């Protein structure tokens, strides 16, 4: 009824973590970059030829942030959807991570540095501005939407954890402390162990 399409060397790790937080049973289909990710049967699920994707009761959800929100709403018993008081920050920072953070990190990795004029067009302005805003956001409280962990922390937290691990984000004190709180979660540890075990077969 619930299937994850993934590769352990991808953003599929975010979806796996979210699934472990939710606690619902799921099947896993591991795809290779060089072959099955671009095969017709998978392109029928995600024409982008990217992972992750989930299929739940015949419905397809792609994009890491969308998967996190969908699972939180579909399995409310997990308590990962926002309360009324958390909703504004939940959506604000979830989409800040999916927009400005992703764009700024990708452009920096590609060697793209917007000119002062181009900064008006770029949603993140400058890389340094994005980092400063991200640092400020996680300095304000223990979790991104308030005092408790929500689905937004899976996606936003993944940006901090893997960004610092791979050097695409600086190791600022507040970002490190936030990442440490998240990686201490049992669901994160379970998901990481499962994906790490698949690494030798990943291509």
């Amino acid at each position: 009824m619930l299937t994850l399409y993934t590769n352990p060397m991808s953003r599929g790790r975010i979806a796996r973590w979210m699934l472990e937080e939710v606690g619902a049973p799921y099947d896993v289909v591991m795809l290779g970059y060089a072959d099955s990710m671009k095969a017709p049967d998978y392109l029928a699920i995600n024409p982008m030829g990217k992972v992750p994707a989930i299929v739940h009761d015949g419905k397809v959800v792609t994009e890491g942030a969308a998967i996190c929100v969908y699972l939180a709403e579909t399995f409310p018993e997990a308590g990962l959807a926002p309360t009324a008081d958390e909703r504004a920050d939940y959506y604000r920072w979830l989409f800040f991570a999916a927009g400005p953070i992703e764009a700024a990190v990708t452009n920096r990795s590609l060697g793209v540095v917007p000119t002062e004029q181009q900064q008006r067009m770029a949603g993140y302005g400058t890389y340094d501005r994005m980092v400063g805003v991200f640092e400020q956001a996680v300095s304000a409280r223990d979790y991104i939407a308030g005092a408790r962990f929500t689905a937004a922390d899976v996606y936003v937290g993944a940006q901090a954890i893997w960004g610092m691990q791979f050097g695409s984000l600086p190791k600022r004190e507040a970002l490190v402390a936030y990442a440490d709180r998240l990686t201490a979660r049992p669901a994160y540890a379970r998901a990481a162990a499962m994906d790490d075990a698949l690494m030798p077969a990943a291509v």
Side-chain angles (χ1 to χ4, degrees), residues 5-200:
Y5 294 84
T6 188
N7 182 292
M9 298 174 64
S10 76
R11 291 175 176 84
R13 294 179 81 103
I14 300 172
R16 166 93 76 174
W17 177 15
M18 184 63 192
L19 283 162
E20 288 299 313
E21 292 284 357
V22 164
Y26 62 97
D27 296 323
V28 177
V29 176
M30 193 176 87
L31 301 174
Y33 284 101
D35 42 51
S36 50
M37 212 176 287
K38 302 298 187 289
D41 56 346
Y42 183 64
L43 291 176
I45 294 170
N46 185 1
M48 290 293 290
K50 301 279 190 178
V51 290
I54 62 169
V55 177
H56 180 231
D57 291 342
K59 302 294 186 182
V60 176
V61 186
T62 64
E63 315 313 317
I67 290 170
C68 290
V69 170
Y70 176 84
L71 290 172
E73 293 179 356
T74 302
F75 299 98
E77 63 276 12
L80 299 175
T83 64
D85 287 342
E86 294 166 337
R87 193 171 293 125
D89 284 327
Y90 177 93
Y91 285 109
R92 176 187 181 184
W93 297 113
L94 183 66
F95 288 101
F96 179 79
I101 294 178
E102 281 270 1
V105 166
T106 298
N107 279 359
R108 185 179 176 88
S109 298
L110 295 173
V112 176
V113 180
T115 64
E116 186 173 350
Q117 183 70 23
Q118 291 170 333
Q119 290 168 23
R120 300 177 186 178
M121 300 170 58
Y124 61 88
T126 68
Y127 172 85
D128 289 338
R129 181 179 300 170
M130 175 279 292
V131 172
V133 172
F134 193 11
E135 181 182 22
Q136 185 178 16
V138 300
S139 298
R141 62 202 76 173
D142 284 346
Y143 298 101
I144 202 65
R148 72 181 188 101
F149 179 89
T150 66
D153 290 294
V154 175
Y155 192 81
V156 177
Q159 308 305 314
I161 294 164
W162 291 306
M164 289 187 290
Q165 179 181 341
F166 294 108
S168 58
L169 285 174
K171 292 184 177 180
R172 302 277 179 89
E173 183 178 351
L175 291 173
V176 171
Y178 177 55
D180 286 347
R181 284 191 289 277
L182 301 183
T183 56
R185 295 183 64 80
Y188 176 88
R190 286 196 306 273
M194 291 175 193
D195 279 325
D196 288 348
L198 291 173
M199 290 290 281

